[in-house]
Amino acid sequence: QGVCLREVGSVAKAVEILADMLQHEEISDDERLGIQYEIALCHEASEAFAEARTILADILKARPTYNDVATRLKNLPA
C-alpha cells in the first residue's frame, strides 16, 4: 500500500503506513531495510531531503550494497 500511495502522490499517507510497518517486531532485517528505503523515497519525492538523507545513510551503514542507496544518497540535493 505504501508504495502505491507514494506512486499516486499520497506521500504523507505512504510514510504513515510504512512507519507503522516498522513497529512490527516480526519483520526481518531485509524487510526493515526495504521499508526504510521506501520511506526514504517518499521523503525524496516530497523534497524532504534531510529526512531522506538520514534514512539512506542508516541503510548504507547497515548494508553498504543495498540497492542504489549510495548513488541516491550522493545525488540528493543539499
Side-chain angles (χ1 to χ4, degrees), residues 50-71:
E51 290 87 347
R53 187 174 290 105
T54 298
I55 295 169
L56 291 171
D58 289 345
I59 295 169
L60 190 63
K61 184 177 176 183
R63 189 167 305 153
T65 59
Y66 190 84
N67 245 352
D68 62 347
V69 170
T71 302

Side-chain angles (χ1 to χ4, degrees), residues 3-71:
V3 174
C4 291
L5 287 167
R6 175 179 51 83
E7 289 177 354
V8 299
S10 297
V11 177
K13 186 65 177 171
V15 169
E16 180 184 326
I17 288 172
L18 292 164
D20 284 346
M21 292 176 65
L22 288 176
Q23 303 307 312
H24 296 278
E25 294 179 13
E26 67 273 359
I27 63 173
S28 69
D29 289 341
D30 286 340
E31 289 168 327
R32 182 171 304 283
L33 288 175
I35 294 166
Q36 289 173 317
Y37 181 79
E38 289 300 329
I39 292 172
L41 294 182
C42 288
H43 288 309
E44 195 175 337
S46 64
E47 297 183 0
F49 300 123
E51 290 87 347
R53 187 174 290 105
T54 298
I55 295 169
L56 291 171
D58 289 345
I59 295 169
L60 190 63
K61 184 177 176 183
R63 189 167 305 153
T65 59
Y66 190 84
N67 245 352
D68 62 347
V69 170
T71 302

